[in-house]
């Protein structure tokens, strides 16, 4: 559906004609205006009108409708097509939900197509409408603001993941005896999802920050360089998260192995203690007629005392060696 549609003339929002074609003609005729249309999960029929009016490339239109694209920057004859992955952190499950944001930039127009619930652009539009000096740069300013908002969301999601990772690290090295391998692996998958969104975006942002791209004014390059710096920091954080999670997983598996060895030592120690009375009882259970102490009145208690002393002695020996 169409979320919002407006003409921005000299950095100020004005309500244009309801028809896209008339609105675009008005923006182009003005010379200092552009049209910004925001769409959320449009159907093919809804997007067909936008496609015909703005002359969007069919390959880009197909990508925008079906989503599931990697972050990228495509240059066509009459437009620039940018794909960004959006992220949303779910507090209840500590999961990272992804969405997609497609941006078409052309002569006096910009079209944003959003898939998923993450990163609505209404706040971006409101912030930009308070900065007329930025909007004077045209559609390139909107593209910068969208990229900046997406990368700022990456920073906040990275902060949440860092908190989860610190909690997991503390849990692994605590005294509890549960195996956290599954939880670590799930957190590692969330970091991988984050990496798939952030790392491929590096090249498109760097191109916008350092080279001339049609319909994007050269004056906006410093703003894109700022976004690129933030993105580099995010990617460094994600790489460190992945390495730390691998180390934590290895430490968790090592601790599980150590605990299993400790359990086996204890089991072996108790088995050794139990073996002494078992051996003595087995000897006297052979039922031979001529065995010492069988006819003595003190034989039975003496054997019990020997068993008890042997078990106590072995138990103290194992405790001194740390097996019990």
């Amino acid at each position: 559906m169409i979320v919002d549609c407006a003409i921005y003339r000299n950095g100020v929002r004005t309500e244009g004609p309801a028809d896209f074609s008339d609105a675009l003609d008005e923006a182009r005729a003005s010379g200092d205006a552009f049209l910004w249309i925001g769409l959320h999960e449009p159907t093919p029929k809804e997007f067909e009108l936008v496609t015909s009016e703005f002359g969007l490339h069919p390959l880009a239109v197909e990508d925008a409708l079906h989503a599931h694209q990697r972050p990228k920057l495509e240059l066509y004859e009459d437009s620039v097509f940018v794909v960004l992955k959006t992220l949303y952190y779910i507090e209840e499950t500590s999961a990272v939900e992804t969405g997609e944001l497609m941006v078409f930039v052309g002569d006096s127009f910009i079209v944003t197509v959003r898939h998923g619930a993450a990163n609505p652009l209404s706040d971006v539009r409101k912030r930009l409408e308070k900065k007329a000096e930025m909007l004077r740069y045209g559609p390139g300013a909107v593209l910068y603001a969208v990229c900046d908002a997406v990368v700022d969301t990456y920073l906040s999601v990275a902060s949440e993941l860092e908190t989860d990772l610190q909690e997991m690290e503390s849990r692994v090295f605590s005294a509890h005896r549960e195996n956290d391998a599954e939880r670590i692996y799930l957190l590692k998958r969330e970091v991988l999802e984050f990496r798939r969104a952030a790392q491929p975006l590096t090249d498109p942002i760097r191109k916008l920050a350092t080279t001339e791209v049609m319909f994007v004014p050269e004056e906006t390059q410093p703003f894109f360089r700022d976004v690129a710096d933030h993105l580099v920091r995010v990617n460094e954080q994600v790489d460190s998260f992945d390495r730390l999670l691998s180390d934590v997983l290895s430490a968790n598996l090592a601790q599980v192995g150590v605990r299993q060895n400790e359990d086996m030592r204890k089991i072996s120690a108790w088995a050794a203690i139990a073996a002494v009375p078992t051996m003595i009882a087995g000897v006297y259970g052979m039922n031979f007629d001529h065995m010492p102490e069988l006819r003595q009145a003190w034989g039975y208690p003496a054997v019990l005392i020997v068993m008890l002393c042997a078990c106590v002695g072995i138990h103290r020996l194992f405790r001194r060696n740390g097996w019990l």
Side-chain angles (χ1 to χ4, degrees), residues 195-236:
R195 172 180 282 178
R196 288 173 178 169
Q199 285 195 346
L201 186 59
T202 302
D203 287 340
I205 296 297
R206 184 182 295 117
K207 184 177 293 185
L208 289 167
T210 58
T211 61
E212 291 187 10
V213 177
M214 58 182 180
F215 308 121
V216 180
E218 186 177 353
E219 293 81 3
T220 61
Q221 288 185 1
F223 300 106
F224 283 106
R225 283 198 291 271
D226 182 65
V227 176
D229 290 341
H230 292 170
L231 187 58
V232 167
R233 190 173 70 182
V234 167
N235 284 324
E236 289 176 349

Side-chain angles (χ1 to χ4, degrees), residues 277-299:
T278 301
M279 181 188 68
I280 296 175
V283 170
Y284 281 92
M286 289 188 292
N287 297 322
F288 290 112
D289 289 336
H290 303 288
M291 293 184 67
E293 293 87 31
L294 284 179
R295 300 290 185 266
Q296 303 295 331
W298 48 265

Side-chain angles (χ1 to χ4, degrees), residues 165 188-189 191-192 195 236-248:
L165 200 154
K188 194 173 178 66
R189 286 190 61 184
V191 171
L192 178 61
R195 172 180 282 178
E236 289 176 349
Q237 281 185 288
V238 173
D239 289 339
S240 66
F241 292 165
D242 188 59
R243 290 193 299 269
L244 185 56
L245 278 171
S246 297
D247 294 341
V248 169

Side-chain angles (χ1 to χ4, degrees), residues 257-268:
V258 169
R259 287 196 294 265
Q260 289 177 343
N261 289 338
E262 290 177 352
D263 293 340
M264 289 303 300
R265 281 208 306 264
K266 291 179 181 179
I267 294 171
S268 300

Side-chain angles (χ1 to χ4, degrees), residues 17-298:
D19 183 79
F20 292 158
S21 180
D22 294 339
L24 183 58
D25 291 340
E26 180 180 328
R28 287 174 174 171
S30 175
D32 59 354
F34 68 93
L35 177 65
W36 180 3
I37 298 176
L39 304 171
H40 181 226
E41 297 182 353
T43 64
K45 185 176 181 180
E46 290 173 335
F47 203 60
E48 183 180 355
L49 178 61
V50 177
T51 302
S52 59
E53 295 293 347
F54 294 92
L56 304 179
H57 197 279
L59 292 177
V61 171
E62 183 180 357
D63 290 344
L65 285 174
H66 296 92
H68 305 295
Q69 303 295 315
R70 283 171 54 88
K72 61 181 179 179
L73 170 65
E74 297 284 353
L75 302 179
Y76 297 104
E77 184 178 353
D78 298 323
S79 63
V80 176
F81 180 56
V82 181
V83 177
L84 303 102
K85 284 281 190 179
T86 59
L87 298 177
Y88 174 68
Y89 181 80
I90 303 176
E91 188 74 31
E92 295 76 12
T93 59
S94 297
V96 177
E97 181 180 325
T98 61
E100 290 187 34
L101 186 59
M102 286 78 168
V103 184
F104 295 87
V105 182
D107 181 16
S108 300
F109 73 85
I110 182 167
V111 178
T112 55
V113 183
R114 185 167 60 91
H115 292 268
N119 292 94
L121 297 179
S122 56
D123 291 340
V124 176
R125 190 184 286 261
K126 290 177 182 177
R127 286 197 301 269
L128 270 179
E129 289 174 354
K130 296 178 182 178
K131 300 179 180 179
E133 68 282 359
M134 176 64 71
L135 279 173
R136 289 191 182 99
Y137 291 122
V142 178
L143 178 60
Y144 151 71
V146 170
C147 294
D148 186 54
V150 170
V151 174
D152 283 347
T153 304
Y154 290 174
L155 289 170
S156 62
V157 172
S159 178
E160 297 288 352
L161 287 177
E162 184 176 15
T163 301
D164 291 341
L165 200 154
Q166 290 173 349
E167 292 176 355
M168 180 60 66
E169 188 178 17
S170 300
R171 180 179 174 86
V172 167
F173 291 101
S174 66
H176 87 289
R177 294 178 59 85
E178 295 181 12
N179 186 357
D180 293 311
E182 182 178 356
R183 296 181 61 183
I184 297 172
Y185 178 72
L186 291 176
L187 186 55
K188 194 173 178 66
R189 286 190 61 184
E190 300 304 321
V191 171
L192 178 61
E193 193 74 21
F194 197 139
R195 172 180 282 178
R196 288 173 178 169
Q199 285 195 346
L201 186 59
T202 302
D203 287 340
I205 296 297
R206 184 182 295 117
K207 184 177 293 185
L208 289 167
T210 58
T211 61
E212 291 187 10
V213 177
M214 58 182 180
F215 308 121
V216 180
E218 186 177 353
E219 293 81 3
T220 61
Q221 288 185 1
F223 300 106
F224 283 106
R225 283 198 291 271
D226 182 65
V227 176
D229 290 341
H230 292 170
L231 187 58
V232 167
R233 190 173 70 182
V234 167
N235 284 324
E236 289 176 349
Q237 281 185 288
V238 173
D239 289 339
S240 66
F241 292 165
D242 188 59
R243 290 193 299 269
L244 185 56
L245 278 171
S246 297
D247 294 341
V248 169
L249 181 59
S250 299
N252 177 75
L253 296 177
Q255 284 191 334
V256 170
V258 169
R259 287 196 294 265
Q260 289 177 343
N261 289 338
E262 290 177 352
D263 293 340
M264 289 303 300
R265 281 208 306 264
K266 291 179 181 179
I267 294 171
S268 300
W270 284 112
I273 294 172
V276 173
T278 301
M279 181 188 68
I280 296 175
V283 170
Y284 281 92
M286 289 188 292
N287 297 322
F288 290 112
D289 289 336
H290 303 288
M291 293 184 67
E293 293 87 31
L294 284 179
R295 300 290 185 266
Q296 303 295 331
W298 48 265

